Amino acid sequence: MSPLLKRIPRTVRSNQWLVYGSITLVMLACMLYVSLNTLIVDIGQSRSRFERESQIESATFLPQKPFAALSTFERDHGLTIERRREVDAALDNGLTLRVFEQTMRVDIPAITAGRDVQADDEMLLGQTVATVLKVPLGTRMTLLGRSFTVVGFAAVPDYMYPIRTTDDAGIILDPKAFGIAVITPAAMDSCAPEALATWHVRTINGVTATARQALDETVGLTYWQDITTNPRYTLATVKLEGAASVSTSMPLVILLLASLLLAAAQGRMVRMQRAQLGTLKALGYSTRELVLHELALPAVIALSGSVLGVLSSILTMRPILNFMVSYFSVPLYVATVPWRAAIVGIVAPVFFTVPAVALVAARLLGQTPVKLMQTTTLSTRPGLLERSLHLTRGSFQNRFAVRAAIRGLTRLTLLMLGAMLAGYLLLFGGAMRDSMDMLVRGAFQDTRYNYTYVLTAPRLKNPWGGEALTSVPFTTTDGQLTFQVTGLSATSTLLVPRDSTGQAIPIDRVIITRALAQKLDLQPGDTWTMQQSVTGQEVTLTVDAVAEMYTTAAVIMPQTRLNSILGTPPSSFNALLSTTSLQIPAQDVLMTMSTAQSRAAFDSAVEPLWVTLGSVAVIAVFIALLALSIVTTLTVEEERVTISLLKVLGYRAEELNRMVLGSGIVAVATGFVLSIPLLLTSLGRLLATTTSGISFSLPIRLSPLSILFCAVIMLATYLLSLRAARRKVLGVQMAISLKAARE
Amino acid sequence: MLIELNKAGRRYHMGQGEFWALKDITLSIPEGQLVTILGPSGSGKSTLLNIMGGIDRADAGTVRVAGVDLSHASEGDLTQFRRDTVGFVFQFFNLIPNLTVHENIEVTVDIAKKPLSIDEVLDAVGLVPLADRFPAELSGGEQQRVSLARAVVKNPALLLADEPTGSLDFATSRDILRLLVRVNEVYHTTIVLVTHNAAIADMTDRVIRLRSGEVEEDRLVGRLIKAEEVTW
Ligand SMILES: Nc1ncnc2c1ncn2[C@@H]1O[C@H](COP(=O)(O)OP(=O)(O)O)[C@@H](O)[C@H]1O
Ligand SMILES: [Mg+2]
């Protein structure tokens, strides 16, 4: 073994903070990258297997009359059709379970734990509910007045994103309040004979146009929804795909920045050893041998960091996947770290660091040994910029600080990069918070009603009270987006659309919500065509105003106008809004929603988001701390001789600290400020792709308060890293300047 | 001849103009000779020594050492030349700070063709008890002895010492000088010693005096005094 290799452990020991800090930085970046990739790949693969094995439907429909010969029809058109009954069972703990009967051919429940139902007193419980409420297998539950034993947990493909209703605030997932269950058809017969039956069709290639036509001709359709426009499916796929695009770009950028930071720090470590390298070259070592030696430490740091990162993501994989699965009801068929992500995670830091350091070392060693050994005279020679500045004004200490800053221009660039990385991560958390806040406020501030009743059929007389309105689902002509068109009476006081200035918009015109405007790229004055979901009737409207509502894509217009479009009497209505609970016979109500319930659902849906944002913020602070410390530590290392000399001359620690490290704050501030536009542009692009096709849009907001908050955290982090460096400044021995010339 | 310089020159760029730190140096040094290069500060002594040792290149003329044309040698040939032929002793020791005394010497042994035994050399310079110390734990004289041991251990044909006593007190300096003379006698190593102390010149075979980059005087001395008798 070459005696030169013995230097490595000793270098590690004398630069512990730098070395372990770098390893941790690489580890965190690597872990983030590998974990997010694992999440996306595993859940994505699980999802496609789930869709395949469960024979996911292509559409749901309601026929007007029964099938004369179902199996012949299926055979003739290459379709699989199955009828499924469902009924909601309210439990006393505020939980509502949508109970399905077991299906065998379409939307087959996937068993995620335990076994399938066999007896009529057995049930399957949705895995989201089971996870969140921690219900063990074997639990007895009373549903619909009968007792069932939970023998297994299940996921149903058309309830992949298990939400109660598919419009307005019902879109928010709340596993504590809503879930699914499966019982045998015989059990359904006996405890809910009146249950609503829906029909589910699976086509061979997933295309539904011809099937829809054939069904309409044969049995007549009163309801039709493609799975690709069903939020219970699309919200899962869109969120997963959105997450996929985040998880391939953002962590890769972070991994890259971390690797760059490591490469830069290690490159500077090499440069600090120029005198030693010159001596070794004079002794007869070749450039190649020395470059290889210099690569050992960076390679060890990069590799141990990335291996630790991959290992920790393997260790944390299970809990993270389980957490995700409690939101998307998908059986976890695949739970391994994808080898490609693991390889990228392990290789990327080495791949960036080693060549960068090799380049620095090779360029350095291209000089003659004499030049390399003249280290002190060379490195203190003022550079072009420094000489051209002619610093004569200001106190000596300030001039010194400016000089130090100019000399360390690349170092400051590095500091700025680190600050940008940290600022980006912090502000990401802030922007998510603000946007979510905006969404919640937008959703509930205009809501003066507490209950919404959707009736089974249009009515002309209202014996129950409340405010009557007409609400009908429409889709875009390409069928990509479904939204509600609401006809509101001009005197409505319970639902008041407002414009961006907070002014109420009179209901004598066509108003679209901000969410719809963003998705269809519409502005006041624009004309667009939409299609009624059930009948396919095409309607062309001109936008008169946009209401600031982000949670739901919808159109609001005068009730009489909507009724005339639909061909119903002017005073016809099919829904009621009310501040108090109304006494409507059960057979007349299709659906009841309470705002309080929606609000609670929203709050509990946002709760895990806080946890996620909190942990992102913690990681951000940690990365910031590391990046900033690495740079400040380097600064002190590089200015050792000067610091020592100034100490000999009698400078006090405070003065030295300010002179050597003072200029960093400018770089940190610049990096932070630059990260704001970087974040806003990248986030805008990201959210545009992730929320396309779903009925709400996420406003991008970054409030000054959040910026201030992030800036304070940044500053605190920087000051903390300065404290660590300060101790190093204080620790510099005066003898160094006296010995310096010799080294 | 071990060293042959023919009209060798070295030029530095100073701002706009250029300046010759060495001009038209022609000289030859046979094997086994102990030579002193004298001259005031800035006269080009170090530059000359560095060119002879292949750690710097001449810009004019030819430099041949041990049969190698240093002025035209490739980077690889220069490395090979330094590895096989030259040992350096620097004024500021240039030890590797995070290697022990023993390891600092190993660094050259590791790449030498026919090295001497480390223990033998450590013994000769009186460093056996300090073998496991780090450079920071040694005095200047001790560090210079390590530096000398590091140069000698590879048994080089040519030993170059640039003001080896420049940063030492005189008692310690005498030790180093005595060791240099012994190395010359025992191993027949050609030694070129740079100093600005004329008294040192008297203990060597020959004195080359530089002034402003030119040879002002080149004469044989014939070891008038012993190392112990050098004064400051
Ligand atoms: N890297 C350099 N760049 C410019 N001038 C140099 C450089 N190195 C040495 N010199 C100049 O060359 C001359 C000779 O230097 P040197 O050989 O070190 O002198 P000595 O060793 O005799 O004191 C001096 O005038 C010195 O200023
Ligand atoms: Mg000199």
Side-chain angles (χ1 to χ4, degrees):
Chain A
M1 190 178 88
S2 163
L4 285 183
L5 285 178
K6 293 184 184 157
R7 291 185 315 154
I8 295 170
R10 292 174 196 161
T11 310
V12 171
R13 217 170 305 141
S14 54
N15 293 286
Q16 286 182 5
W17 182 226
L18 196 65
V19 171
Y20 295 131
S22 303
I23 291 179
T24 317
L25 179 65
V26 173
M27 186 188 104
L28 279 178
C30 215
M31 186 178 149
L32 196 66
Y33 175 80
V34 175
S35 293
L36 279 174
N37 268 281
T38 303
L39 208 61
I40 294 323
V41 170
D42 287 5
I43 291 190
Q45 286 180 356
S46 296
R47 182 175 68 110
S48 31
R49 193 174 141 194
F50 179 37
E51 290 179 15
R52 216 170 42 244
E53 294 190 353
S54 285
Q55 301 285 313
I56 190 172
E57 63 173 48
S58 307
T60 302
F61 66 93
L62 289 177
Q64 268 171 356
K65 56 180 193 230
F67 282 95
L70 181 56
S71 50
T72 327
F73 180 81
E74 282 184 304
R75 196 162 359 95
D76 289 351
H77 294 88
L79 303 173
T80 316
I81 297 173
E82 190 167 17
R83 178 177 172 271
R84 184 180 74 190
R85 281 172 296 171
E86 64 181 52
V87 63
D88 280 2
L91 276 71
D92 38 11
N93 55 359
L95 175 71
T96 300
L97 286 180
R98 184 149 300 164
V99 184
F100 299 112
E101 65 179 321
Q102 190 185 19
T103 51
M104 311 305 263
R105 302 172 64 214
V106 180
D107 292 337
I108 308 162
I111 312 297
T112 59
R115 59 167 176 82
D116 206 348
V117 283
Q118 284 156 1
D120 295 342
D121 63 347
E122 291 175 349
M123 66 176 275
L124 300 173
L125 185 62
Q127 78 169 1
T128 52
V129 181
T131 313
V132 170
L133 298 182
K134 299 192 177 65
V135 180
L137 285 175
T139 306
R140 293 200 70 81
M141 283 184 149
T142 305
L143 298 182
L144 309 164
R146 262 183 69 165
S147 173
F148 291 91
T149 309
V150 178
V151 293
F153 301 143
V156 172
D158 63 327
Y159 272 72
M160 209 178 272
Y161 194 72
I163 46 178
R164 187 194 308 256
T165 60
T166 55
D167 49 12
D168 282 12
I171 215 154
I172 301 302
L173 183 70
D174 182 9
K176 284 193 186 113
F178 181 77
I180 58 161
V182 177
I183 58 176
T184 61
M188 185 65 90
D189 283 340
S190 67
C191 58
E194 310 283 76
L196 173 76
T198 49
W199 292 72
H200 305 265
V201 55
R202 180 178 165 88
T203 65
I204 289 163
N205 53 7
V207 177
T208 56
T210 52
R212 181 176 182 174
Q213 201 180 357
L215 281 165
D216 202 20
E217 283 162 9
T218 314
V219 291
L221 291 175
T222 57
Y223 176 82
W224 178 270
Q225 180 159 47
D226 283 334
I227 189 75
T228 51
T229 61
N230 184 346
R232 293 190 177 106
Y233 172 78
T234 53
L235 279 180
T237 56
V238 161
K239 284 195 177 183
L240 286 172
E241 275 151 25
S245 69
V246 182
S247 67
T248 47
S249 54
M250 193 184 77
L252 194 64
V253 169
I254 291 173
L255 187 62
L256 232 129
L257 281 175
S259 305
L260 276 180
L261 206 66
L262 174 64
Q266 288 298 310
R268 299 199 72 94
M269 285 276 278
V270 170
R271 269 196 217 111
M272 280 193 278
Q273 300 185 12
R274 50 180 300 146
Q276 273 187 50
L277 292 173
T279 308
L280 289 170
K281 211 178 165 192
L283 292 180
Y285 279 88
S286 70
T287 301
R288 212 176 58 88
E289 285 167 324
L290 292 175
V291 168
L292 284 178
H293 272 294
E294 288 308 304
L295 290 183
L297 185 58
V300 166
I301 291 177
L303 259 184
S304 46
S306 56
V307 167
L308 281 176
V310 171
L311 283 182
S312 40
S313 58
I314 289 174
L315 287 179
T316 54
M317 179 183 69
R318 273 281 165 188
I320 294 176
L321 281 171
N322 285 335
F323 179 78
M324 274 304 263
V325 164
S326 71
Y327 280 87
F328 301 105
S329 191
V330 172
L332 204 55
Y333 288 125
V334 186
T336 50
V337 167
W339 58 269
R340 212 185 303 170
I343 287 176
V344 170
I346 289 181
V347 169
V350 182
F351 183 81
F352 284 110
T353 310
V354 168
V357 175
L359 203 74
V360 169
R363 271 190 52 188
L364 192 69
L365 285 161
Q367 302 172 22
T368 61
V370 171
K371 261 228 168 98
L372 290 171
M373 285 187 288
Q374 281 177 337
T375 166
T376 40
T377 49
L378 251 167
S379 63
T380 49
R381 221 172 60 192
L384 205 68
L385 189 61
E386 196 180 343
R387 267 179 298 166
S388 64
L389 254 173
H390 289 303
L391 290 167
T392 47
R393 299 227 313 259
S395 73
F396 167 70
Q397 288 186 20
N398 283 337
R399 272 181 288 150
F400 183 95
V402 172
R403 282 228 167 87
I406 293 169
R407 230 183 359 254
L409 212 57
T410 46
R411 203 166 51 204
L412 285 180
T413 316
L414 206 65
L415 189 59
M416 200 189 75
L417 268 180
M420 239 168 108
L421 170 65
Y424 185 89
L425 285 173
L426 279 173
L427 290 170
F428 183 78
M432 288 309 267
R433 200 205 79 91
D434 290 342
S435 304
M436 229 31 224
D437 196 47
M438 175 90 184
L439 189 69
V440 175
R441 247 187 292 134
F444 296 107
Q445 71 181 3
D446 299 331
T447 311
R448 305 252 172 75
Y449 53 91
N450 294 320
Y451 297 92
T452 309
Y453 297 90
V454 179
L455 306 176
T456 43
R459 296 254 165 185
L460 291 171
K461 289 239 167 55
N462 178 7
W464 305 299
E467 216 168 72
L469 53 93
T470 308
S471 186
V472 186
F474 273 76
T475 57
T476 49
T477 45
D478 61 3
Q480 287 296 307
L481 181 70
T482 304
F483 51 90
Q484 214 65 25
V485 177
T486 300
L488 217 54
S489 101
T491 55
S492 171
T493 51
L494 294 181
L495 179 58
V496 184
R498 288 175 193 281
D499 64 15
S500 53
T501 62
Q503 289 286 318
I505 307 171
I507 304 162
D508 57 358
R509 56 194 83 184
V510 175
I511 304 163
I512 63 173
T513 61
R514 178 65 63 197
L516 187 66
Q518 283 183 354
K519 278 169 203 306
L520 301 184
D521 196 17
L522 290 175
Q523 271 148 19
D526 290 353
T527 297
W528 91 105
T529 303
M530 57 190 187
Q531 197 171 30
Q532 202 195 326
S533 295
V534 178
T535 61
Q537 177 195 7
E538 289 205 352
V539 178
T540 300
L541 290 175
T542 302
V543 181
D544 296 318
V546 176
E548 286 306 298
M549 294 168 85
Y550 289 92
T551 38
T552 175
V555 180
I556 297 167
M557 60 195 287
Q559 191 173 18
T560 46
R561 188 160 165 204
L562 179 59
N563 282 335
S564 83
I565 288 173
L566 298 174
T568 48
S571 60
S572 164
F573 66 94
N574 68 349
L576 290 168
L577 299 178
S578 169
T579 49
T580 56
S581 174
L582 300 179
Q583 301 305 313
I584 310 174
Q587 71 266 21
D588 292 329
V589 181
L590 188 64
M591 195 168 63
T592 311
M593 267 181 296
S594 97
T595 309
Q597 251 176 22
S598 307
R599 175 118 219 182
F602 208 107
D603 289 344
S604 86
V606 176
E607 196 177 299
L609 192 78
W610 294 132
V611 178
T612 318
L613 289 184
S615 40
V616 167
V618 168
I619 289 189
V621 168
F622 204 65
I623 286 184
L625 193 64
L626 285 173
L628 298 179
S629 315
I630 287 172
V631 181
T632 40
T633 308
L634 261 180
T635 310
V636 177
E637 280 300 319
E638 291 181 351
E639 299 287 338
R640 273 184 108 74
V641 177
T642 319
I643 294 170
S644 161
L645 191 65
L646 290 170
K647 271 190 168 179
V648 173
L649 297 180
Y651 277 87
R652 260 178 275 115
E654 289 310 316
E655 294 164 335
L656 283 174
N657 210 35
R658 204 176 61 75
M659 285 159 79
V660 177
L661 299 167
S663 55
I665 191 78
V666 180
V668 172
T670 313
F672 182 75
V673 168
L674 284 180
S675 69
I676 297 174
L678 184 75
L679 177 87
L680 288 179
T681 48
S682 64
L683 207 59
R685 199 158 304 156
L686 191 77
L687 289 178
T689 56
T690 51
T691 58
S692 68
I694 58 178
S695 80
F696 70 91
S697 78
L698 208 51
I700 298 168
R701 282 297 134 94
L702 186 56
S703 67
L705 197 71
S706 293
I707 295 181
L708 189 73
F709 185 68
C710 293
V712 167
I713 292 184
M714 263 310 264
L715 190 70
T717 309
Y718 180 62
L719 292 180
L720 203 68
S721 78
L722 274 189
R723 278 199 81 77
R726 205 179 100 101
R727 257 185 288 142
K728 291 208 97 169
V729 170
L730 297 182
V732 172
Q733 289 171 4
M734 285 186 253
I736 284 181
S737 66
L738 309 174
K739 280 186 182 170
R742 302 171 191 161
E743 277 173 12
Chain B
M1 288 293 140
L2 183 71
I3 303 176
E4 287 178 291
L5 272 72
N6 192 4
K7 294 188 182 309
R10 178 72 168 97
R11 175 184 52 199
Y12 287 117
H13 297 276
M14 300 293 284
Q16 270 79 342
E18 53 176 41
F19 142 79
W20 288 88
L22 283 181
K23 287 174 281 234
D24 280 341
I25 306 285
T26 301
L27 57 83
S28 50
I29 297 172
E31 269 161 60
Q33 203 168 49
L34 176 53
V35 184
T36 313
I37 300 181
L38 267 182
S41 185
S43 57
K45 307 182 295 291
S46 297
T47 308
L48 178 58
L49 200 75
N50 292 341
I51 284 173
M52 287 179 182
I55 58 173
D56 197 3
R57 277 181 194 268
D59 298 306
T62 54
V63 179
R64 285 186 80 82
V65 180
V68 181
D69 181 354
L70 296 185
S71 27
H72 299 103
S74 70
E75 195 57 36
D77 291 343
L78 270 185
T79 300
Q80 199 60 42
F81 164 78
R82 291 194 296 262
R83 190 181 277 227
D84 298 340
T85 315
V86 206
F88 283 101
V89 178
F90 304 102
Q91 180 181 355
F92 299 119
F93 327 134
N94 288 40
L95 299 176
I96 308 298
N98 51 9
L99 292 182
T100 62
V101 167
H102 194 275
E103 288 160 356
N104 259 288
I105 299 171
E106 267 181 80
V107 167
T108 33
V109 169
D110 200 47
I111 54 169
K113 249 202 277 188
K114 279 180 286 171
L116 307 173
S117 127
I118 297 182
D119 294 331
E120 179 191 327
V121 176
L122 276 176
D123 189 38
V125 295
L127 283 174
V128 175
L130 306 180
D132 292 324
R133 294 227 195 143
F134 286 94
E137 301 162 346
L138 300 177
S139 72
E142 285 160 349
Q143 288 194 52
Q144 193 58 302
R145 277 191 275 158
V146 180
S147 176
L148 182 60
R150 181 176 67 180
V152 168
V153 74
K154 68 156 112 169
N155 197 8
L158 175 62
L159 182 65
L160 301 173
D162 192 349
E163 309 211 22
T165 61
S167 36
L168 302 178
D169 64 70
F170 78 94
T172 334
S173 297
R174 272 188 196 149
D175 273 353
I176 297 294
L177 292 174
R178 199 167 36 227
L179 284 168
L180 280 171
V181 174
R182 247 192 80 203
V183 167
N184 171 261
E185 283 164 357
V186 176
Y187 302 110
H188 301 285
T189 313
T190 308
I191 298 181
V192 181
L193 183 69
V194 164
T195 179
H196 51 250
N197 177 0
I200 291 178
D202 288 342
M203 58 167 243
T204 61
D205 295 322
R206 174 181 173 185
V207 174
I208 299 170
R209 194 182 289 272
L210 293 185
R211 178 168 292 275
S212 307
E214 286 172 297
V215 178
E216 188 187 50
E217 181 192 5
D218 183 353
R219 66 184 164 91
L220 293 176
V221 187
R223 308 205 186 189
L224 297 174
I225 56 169
K226 288 202 181 315
E228 291 80 8
E229 296 163 326
V230 174
T231 52
W232 267 261

